[in-house]
C-alpha cells in the first residue's frame, strides 16, 4: 500500500474452521455444526470446510428426538457448535457438547436461523441436497442456513467448494450412542484415548488421507441395507482373492495426495504452488489405479473405476506452468516467485534473463568505468543498506568524477553512487519486483482453472477414498483370516468360531480361543454367560457387537462363518 495501510479483519479462526494442514489430522474430519431447536423439531447441519462435506438431519421434538440428536453429535464429534437460542436453552444439550464432546459452543441467536434468511442462503450455496429434505421440514433448512451465515461472517472468502449437502434420516445407519462408542472402543481406547487398541487401529490399512477419513466415517455409520452391504462385500472379496492386484493397488494409492483438502485450500485461497504441484501429482497416479481396477469384476469397483477422473487438461496446464522440484523445492509462499517453469511465459523468461545476467552487467560497467576514469583500484558491489555502490581506494579519490555522490567513508576507501549505476540498479530491482508480480498473476490464473474443476476433483476424491477403504478391508481380511458374513433382514445372529478383532491383534501371536454365538428373535432371545473374573465374559460380549458392526460396515469378520440379521442399534 502507498500511504496508510487499510486494516480490517479478513478471517476469524475458530476450532471448527481451521484449514492449515499443520492444525488438522489427515485421517480425521474436522467438523463444525449448527443446531436448531424449537417446540416442533430439532435439527443439525455439519460441515468440514477443509474438504467441503456437508450433512444434515432433523428429528421430532421431545426426549426421543433429543436422544437421536445427541447420538448424531457424538457420531460426528464436532470441534465447534453454533446453537440457535432454542437449542442453547434446551436442557442438557450445551453441557453434553462441552463436557462429553469437548466442543466449543456459541449461542448463535435466532436471526441466523430464520427461515426467510436461511433458505435463500442454503439454496444459493448447495448445488445438490436440499431436494432430499422432506416438504415441511424447515428445521433442517434452518440449521443449514444458520451454519452458512456463521461461516460467511467468520471466513469472509470463497466457500464454493461446499456445494453438496447430504440429508439423511435415522433409519439409514445403525445408531450408536456415546456410551456404546466409548465402551466398544471404536476409534480410541477408553483409558489412553489412543488409536492403538481400537477397532479403527485394526481396520485402518488405508494409504490415503481421504481413505482414512472415509473409513472412520463408515465405522461411525454402519449400514442398515443388506443390498448396500453386499455391494461393499463383493468389492472386498474381489481384492481378497486377487492378492497381486491388491498389493499393486496399495502401492499406487500410497502415492496419491490429499485431493479433497488440496482442492479445498485452492478454493479457500490459502493454497500455494506446492499445493498445485501436489494436486497435479496426485491426479497423475489415477490412470494406473484405473488399470488395476480393470481386473476387479464387482459392480461397485467398476463404478468407482469409472468415477476416477484424472483431469488430463488440468494436469497438463499445471505441469506445464510449474517448474520441476528436482533442483530445489518450490517456494513456501507464492509471493516469493521462482515457481513458474522456464518457457511457460515469455515475459517471465525475459525478466529472469535480466536478473540472471545482472552480475555480468555490473562487471561490464566496472570495466567501462575504470577505462573512463583511470581509477584502477575500484570495484562495484552492493549491500542491503545502500544497494549497489562504487568503492574507491582513498589513494585514488582524486580521480572521482564530480557527478558521483559520496555515500559512506570507511577506513581504507570511499563509497560513491553514480547516475549510471542507479539506473542499472533500478532496472535490476524493478525486474525482480515485476517477475514476482507476474508469477503471482499467473498463479492466480492457475488457481482459477483449478476452482473451475472442483466438482470433478471432489467426485474423484470420493471414489478414490472408497477404493482405498475397500482395499484396507481386503488387506485386513487376508492377513487375519476373516470370512465374508451373510447379512440379511432375518433375526439370526449366528457366528461360528468368532474372535475379538482387537484382542486377537494385541496377543502378539498367542492363539485366541474362538467362541460360537447363536441367537434369534424366537427361541434364543438371550444367553447367560458365566465364569470367574478375567475369564473373558466382557470380551465375548464386545466381540459379538464388533463382529455385527464390522459386518454392517461391509467388512469381513473374524470368524469361520457368520450370518447376521441387520441390527439397527
Amino acid at each position: 500500500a502507498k500511504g496508510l495501510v487499510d486494516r480490517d479483519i479478513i478471517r476469524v479462526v475458530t476450532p471448527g474452521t481451521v484449514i492449515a494442514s499443520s492444525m488438522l489430522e489427515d485421517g480425521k474430519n474436522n467438523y463444525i455444526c449448527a443446531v436448531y431447536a424449537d417446540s416442533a423439531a430439532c435439527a443439525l447441519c455439519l460441515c468440514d470446510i477443509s474438504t467441503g462435506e456437508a450433512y444434515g438431519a432433523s428429528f421430532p421434538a421431545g426426549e426421543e428426538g433429543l436422544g437421536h440428536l445427541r447420538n448424531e453429535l457424538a457420531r460426528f464429534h464436532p470441534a465447534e457448535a453454533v446453537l440457535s437460542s432454542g437449542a442453547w436453552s434446551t436442557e442438557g444439550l450445551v453441557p453434553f457438547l462441552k463436557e462429553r464432546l469437548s466442543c466449543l459452543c456459541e449461542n448463535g441467536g435466532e436471526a441466523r436461523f430464520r427461515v426467510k434468511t436461511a433458505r435463500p442462503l442454503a439454496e444459493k450455496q448447495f448445488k445438490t441436497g436440499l431436494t432430499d429434505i422432506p416438504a415441511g421440514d424447515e428445521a433442517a433448512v434452518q440449521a443449514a442456513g444458520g451454519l452458512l451465515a456463521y461461516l460467511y461472517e467468520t471466513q469472509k472468502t470463497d466457500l464454493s467448494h461446499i456445494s453438496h449437502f447430504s440429508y439423511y434420516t435415522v433409519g439409514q445407519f445403525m445408531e450408536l450412542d456415546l456410551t456404546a462408542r466409548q465402551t466398544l472402543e471404536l476409534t480410541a481406547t477408553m483409558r489412553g484415548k489412543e488409536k492403538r487398541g481400537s477397532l479403527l487401529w485394526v481396520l485402518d490399512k488405508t494409504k490415503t488421507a481421504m481413505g482414512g477419513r472415509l473409513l472412520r466415517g463408515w465405522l461411525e455409520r454402519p449400514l442398515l441395507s443388506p443390498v448396500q452391504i453386499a455391494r461393499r462385500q463383493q468389492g472386498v472379496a474381489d481384492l481378497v482373492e486377487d492378492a497381486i492386484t491388491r498389493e499393486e493397488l496399495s502401492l499406487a494409492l500410497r502415492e496419491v495426495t490429499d485431493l479433497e483438502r488440496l482442492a479445498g485450500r485452492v478454493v479457500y485461497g490459502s493454497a500455494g504452488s506446492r499445493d498445485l504441484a501436489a494436486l497435479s501429482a496426485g491426479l497423475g497416479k489415477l490412470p494406473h489405479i484405473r488399470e488395476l481396477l480393470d481386473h476387479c469384476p464387482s459392480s461397485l469397483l467398476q463404478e468407482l473405476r469409472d468415477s476416477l477422473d484424472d483431469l488430463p487438461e488440468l494436469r497438463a496446464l499445471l505441469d506445464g506452468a510449474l517448474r520441476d522440484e528436482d533442483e530445489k523445492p518450490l517456494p513456501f509462499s507464492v509471493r516469493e516467485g521462482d515457481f513458474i517453469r522456464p518457457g511457460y511465459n515469455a515475459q517471465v523468461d525475459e525478466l529472469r534473463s535480466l536478473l540472471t545476467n545482472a552480475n555480468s552487467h555490473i562487471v561490464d560497467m566496472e570495466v567501462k568505468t575504470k577505462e573512463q576514469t583511470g581509477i584502477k583500484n575500484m570495484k562495484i558491489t552492493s549491500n542491503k543498506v545502500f544497494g549497489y555502490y562504487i568503492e574507491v581506494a582513498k589513494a585514488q579519490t582524486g580521480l572521482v568524477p564530480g557527478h558521483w555522490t559520496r555515500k559512506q567513508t570507511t577506513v581504507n576507501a570511499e563509497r560513491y553512487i553514480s547516475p549510471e549505476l542507479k539506473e542499472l540498479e533500478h532496472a535490476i530491482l524493478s525486474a525482480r519486483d515485476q517477475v514476482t508480480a507476474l508469477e503471482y498473476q499467473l498463479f492466480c490464473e492457475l488457481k482459477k482453472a483449478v476452482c473451475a474443476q472442483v466438482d470433478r476433483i471432489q467426485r474423484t476424491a470420493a471414489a478414490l477414498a472408497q477404493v482405498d477403504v475397500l482395499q484396507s478391508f481386503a488387506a485386513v481380511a487376508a492377513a487375519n483370516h476373516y470370512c465374508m458374513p451373510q447379512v440379511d433382514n432375518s433375526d439370526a445372529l449366528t457366528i461360528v468360531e468368532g474372535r475379538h478383532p482387537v484382542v486377537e491383534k494385541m496377543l502378539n501371536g498367542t492363539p485366541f480361543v474362538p467362541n460360537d454365538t447363536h441367537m434369534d428373535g424366537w427361541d434364543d432371545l438371550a444367553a447367560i454367560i458365566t465364569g470367574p473374573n478375567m475369564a473373558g465374559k466382557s470380551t465375548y460380549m464386545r466381540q459379538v457387537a464388533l463382529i455385527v458392526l464390522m459386518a454392517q460396515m461391509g467388512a469381513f469378520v473374524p470368524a469361520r462363518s457368520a450370518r447376521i440379521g441387520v441390527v439397527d442399534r
Side-chain angles (χ1 to χ4, degrees):
K2 292 183 179 179
L4 294 176
V5 178
D6 289 333
R7 296 184 180 274
D8 195 7
I9 294 172
I10 59 167
R11 181 181 167 216
V12 180
V13 182
T14 69
T17 61
V18 293
I19 56 165
S21 55
S22 59
M23 300 176 73
L24 294 173
E25 189 177 328
D26 285 344
K28 185 178 180 180
N29 286 99
N30 187 58
Y31 289 111
I32 181 172
C33 78
V35 184
Y36 175 80
D38 58 23
S39 58
C42 55
L44 80 161
C45 177
L46 300 113
C47 176
D48 181 346
I49 70 167
S50 71
T51 64
E53 300 169 63
Y55 302 96
S58 61
F59 318 97
E63 193 53 44
E64 183 180 351
L66 284 174
H68 290 312
L69 175 64
R70 282 191 291 265
N71 290 343
E72 291 309 301
L73 288 168
R75 188 196 301 275
F76 288 93
H77 215 292
E80 181 180 1
V82 183
L83 290 80
S84 69
S85 296
W88 186 267
S89 59
T90 300
E91 186 178 356
L93 184 56
V94 172
F96 175 80
L97 284 162
K98 288 183 176 179
E99 297 164 16
R100 301 293 301 276
L101 302 182
S102 300
C103 176
L104 176 74
C105 296
E106 177 169 333
N107 187 343
E110 286 300 317
R112 290 190 180 105
F113 293 88
R114 290 195 185 107
V115 177
K116 289 183 179 179
T117 55
R119 181 172 285 280
L121 285 181
E123 289 176 345
K124 181 181 178 182
Q125 181 70 37
F126 299 119
K127 297 176 183 175
T128 62
L130 291 188
T131 53
D132 297 334
I133 299 177
D137 185 359
E138 297 293 354
V141 177
Q142 286 173 271
L147 180 59
L148 289 172
Y150 179 76
L151 291 178
Y152 293 158
E153 289 168 24
T154 57
Q155 301 312 290
K156 304 176 184 291
T157 189
D158 187 3
L159 297 174
S160 59
H161 65 298
I162 306 173
S163 58
H164 300 284
F165 177 80
S166 300
Y167 179 83
Y168 67 96
T169 59
V170 173
Q172 282 181 256
F173 305 109
M174 181 194 294
E175 188 162 355
L176 292 158
D177 60 37
L178 184 58
T179 303
R181 294 174 193 282
Q182 292 175 340
T183 306
L184 292 175
E185 299 184 311
L186 299 185
T187 58
T189 59
M190 288 184 69
R191 180 174 297 177
K193 307 299 181 187
E194 299 172 334
K195 181 180 177 181
R196 178 180 169 81
S198 67
L199 181 61
L200 180 63
W201 170 68
V202 174
L203 295 178
D204 190 1
K205 303 299 178 191
T206 56
K207 304 302 178 185
T208 68
M210 300 166 290
R213 291 192 293 271
L214 183 64
L215 173 58
R216 185 183 286 264
W218 283 10
L219 180 57
E220 299 277 14
R221 300 186 289 277
L223 299 172
L224 297 183
S225 165
V227 174
Q228 293 181 28
I229 292 168
R231 273 168 56 81
R232 289 184 185 176
Q233 287 180 331
Q234 192 53 56
V236 176
D238 283 0
L239 295 171
V240 169
E241 293 163 9
D242 191 343
I244 294 175
T245 297
R246 184 178 72 246
E247 290 300 323
E248 289 188 7
L249 188 59
S250 173
L251 293 172
L253 286 167
R254 190 175 292 154
E255 302 295 320
V256 177
T257 49
D258 192 347
L259 303 180
E260 270 182 334
R261 283 185 170 163
L262 287 170
R265 286 205 290 274
V266 172
V267 173
Y268 196 86
S270 63
S273 57
R274 295 181 185 183
D275 294 312
L276 296 190
L279 178 65
S280 179
L283 292 171
K285 307 298 178 185
L286 300 187
H288 179 49
I289 293 174
R290 276 206 308 266
E291 289 177 16
L292 293 173
L293 293 176
D294 282 340
H295 305 294
C296 303
S298 82
S299 61
L300 177 56
L301 284 175
Q302 285 306 303
E303 284 179 22
L304 295 175
R305 176 202 173 281
D306 294 340
S307 298
L308 295 180
D309 182 355
D310 59 311
L311 286 84
E313 310 90 353
L314 181 62
R315 275 198 299 125
L317 175 64
L318 294 177
D319 291 344
L322 300 172
R323 67 168 173 77
D324 293 328
E325 296 189 83
D326 297 337
E327 295 180 5
K328 62 177 179 177
L330 290 169
F332 180 76
S333 170
V334 291
R335 299 286 184 180
E336 298 174 25
D338 192 29
F339 55 83
I340 294 296
R341 183 185 293 275
Y344 178 72
N345 182 277
Q347 192 176 352
V348 169
D349 292 343
E350 183 180 332
L351 291 167
R352 278 185 182 162
S353 175
L354 177 59
L355 289 171
T356 304
N357 299 320
N359 285 338
S360 64
H361 291 311
I362 293 295
V363 170
D364 290 345
M365 176 174 279
E366 187 177 302
V367 172
K368 183 180 176 183
T369 304
K370 285 180 179 180
E371 291 175 354
Q372 289 176 344
T373 62
I375 303 172
K376 303 300 182 185
N377 198 356
M378 62 156 282
K379 62 180 178 179
I380 299 177
T381 185
S382 67
N383 62 29
K384 291 183 179 179
V385 179
F386 299 127
Y388 287 98
Y389 58 87
I390 305 166
E391 187 170 279
V392 180
K394 285 192 173 180
Q396 293 189 302
T397 53
L399 299 175
V400 171
H403 64 278
W404 287 12
T405 304
R406 188 170 64 180
K407 295 297 291 183
Q408 189 181 30
T409 300
T410 64
V411 176
N412 299 315
E414 298 284 350
R415 292 175 176 176
Y416 301 87
I417 57 171
S418 68
E420 298 86 354
L421 182 58
K422 293 305 291 182
E423 285 179 18
L424 179 58
E425 179 186 55
H426 177 71
I428 293 170
L429 294 180
S430 62
R432 185 174 291 115
D433 292 339
Q434 286 177 46
V435 74
T436 302
L438 182 55
E439 287 197 55
Y440 182 73
Q441 180 184 332
L442 295 172
F443 174 76
C444 291
E445 293 173 4
L446 294 175
K447 277 203 309 182
K448 190 175 180 181
V450 173
C451 290
Q453 305 297 338
V454 161
D455 281 349
R456 290 170 68 185
I457 296 171
Q458 288 178 327
R459 283 195 299 270
T460 294
L464 200 62
Q466 290 190 62
V467 171
D468 195 10
V469 175
L470 294 175
Q471 75 79 26
S472 179
F473 285 168
V476 173
N480 301 314
H481 308 291
Y482 290 179
C483 75
M484 183 167 78
Q486 177 187 347
V487 182
D488 53 34
N489 282 318
S490 70
D491 62 357
L493 179 52
T494 305
I495 302 169
V496 179
E497 295 184 12
R499 313 183 309 272
H500 192 296
V502 182
V503 174
E504 181 181 49
K505 292 296 289 182
M506 298 292 279
L507 287 175
N508 289 328
T510 304
F512 184 98
V513 179
N515 288 281
D516 295 346
T517 304
H518 178 72
M519 301 180 77
D520 57 41
W522 302 97
D523 299 324
D524 298 291
L525 280 166
I528 296 173
I529 307 165
T530 64
N533 292 343
M534 303 301 291
K537 301 184 296 297
S538 298
T539 297
Y540 173 68
M541 289 194 290
R542 291 193 184 99
Q543 159 189 317
V544 174
L546 292 176
I547 287 174
V548 170
L549 193 143
M550 289 170 66
Q552 290 183 217
M553 288 171 66
F556 284 20
V557 299
R560 187 153 63 86
S561 65
R563 182 189 178 195
I564 294 165
V566 165
V567 172
D568 67 338
R569 66 177 298 164

